[in-house]
Amino acid sequence: MKAIAINKQKKVSLGQSIILLLLSIWALTTIYPIIWVVLNSFKDRRFILSNSFALPLGEIFTLDNYRLAFERVDILSAYKNSLLISTSVAAAVILLAGLAAYVLARYEFRLKKLLYNLVIAGMMFPVFSTIIPVFQMQYSWGIVNTSNLFLSLLSTALPQIAGNLSFAIVVLMGYIKSIPIELEEAAYIEGANIFQIFFRVIVPLTKPSFATVAIFSFLWSYNDLFTQMFFLRTKTQWAITVLLNQLTSQEGTNYGLMAAAVTLVVIPILIVYIFLQKYIIKGMISGAIKG
């Protein structure tokens, strides 16, 4: 019996080693291109094509690419616009999706199934299939093609909020349904209304899922070049992804400058993910198990 147990333990360890090896290879293929871009951003443009895999040391090393990037374009202003848009989108999504998910998960009313099916259907339509009517609608409101920075950022945030709501509602519904309803009944007996129950009972118990929804909404908004290209038309309104797109089209042969610009766009996202990955993993696992 001991020999059998030992053999089983060895087989499990071997299997785990193979899985770890495969995951490491996959991670390397994903991470290496990012490392390659970062390394080349510190090289003189003359050496990128001839020594693209060499480390940026000695005469190869330079900071001119970053200096040129900050001189040619207003990166700080683009960062500010991106953060304003993405933060607003994340905040609006967790509030609206949280309330909608709570109502759909806990209350029975007419047309509930139809409303839920519409939420699911909203995940099936890509953004480019609705961008024209959305643009026309916002144009009729007077918030598109304007020099007002606030209105332009608002016109960009609204479609992104709508595009993230369906996913957020589905994720939060699965988690809210797993919470014992007795907790809400006790709060109701104590005199709490629906909003007090939601903010004081539901939200504290579903923090991982709310954090997951907020992070994904922020990242999707930050990387959404398609919507930003439609609604951010002037340089003072550009977000960081639009700025990178314009810089790429203007400096297509300056690979050092392009590598520096890509690094400036990607590094903040990597930092956000590194510090918040535990909330992403915890929220997705909790939602999968409890949903």
Side-chain angles (χ1 to χ4, degrees), residues 94-201:
I94 60 175
L95 176 61
L96 298 177
L99 291 171
Y102 178 60
V103 171
L104 289 173
R106 288 296 194 233
Y107 289 85
E108 294 295 332
F109 52 89
R110 293 179 61 186
L111 304 178
K112 174 182 175 180
K113 290 185 178 180
L114 175 61
L115 184 59
Y116 179 73
N117 290 332
L118 290 175
V119 171
I120 299 298
M123 301 174 63
M124 303 178 183
F125 293 94
V127 63
F128 57 80
S129 65
T130 58
I131 193 65
I132 299 301
V134 168
F135 183 88
Q136 292 176 338
M137 179 177 62
Q138 295 198 129
Y139 181 80
S140 66
W141 295 347
I143 61 175
V144 177
N145 287 339
T146 175
S147 59
N148 187 292
L149 177 61
F150 171 78
L151 293 179
S152 295
L153 298 183
L154 177 64
S155 68
T156 306
L158 290 177
Q160 293 179 345
I161 293 171
N164 283 283
L165 280 178
S166 295
F167 164 79
I169 290 172
V170 172
V171 171
L172 293 175
M173 276 187 66
Y175 202 101
I176 292 174
K177 286 181 178 179
S178 69
I179 299 175
I181 197 171
E182 289 78 10
L183 297 174
E184 299 162 55
E185 292 174 346
Y188 180 76
I189 292 174
E190 293 294 328
N193 57 40
I194 181 175
F195 293 104
Q196 291 173 328
I197 293 174
F198 175 76
F199 286 107
R200 296 182 181 180
V201 178

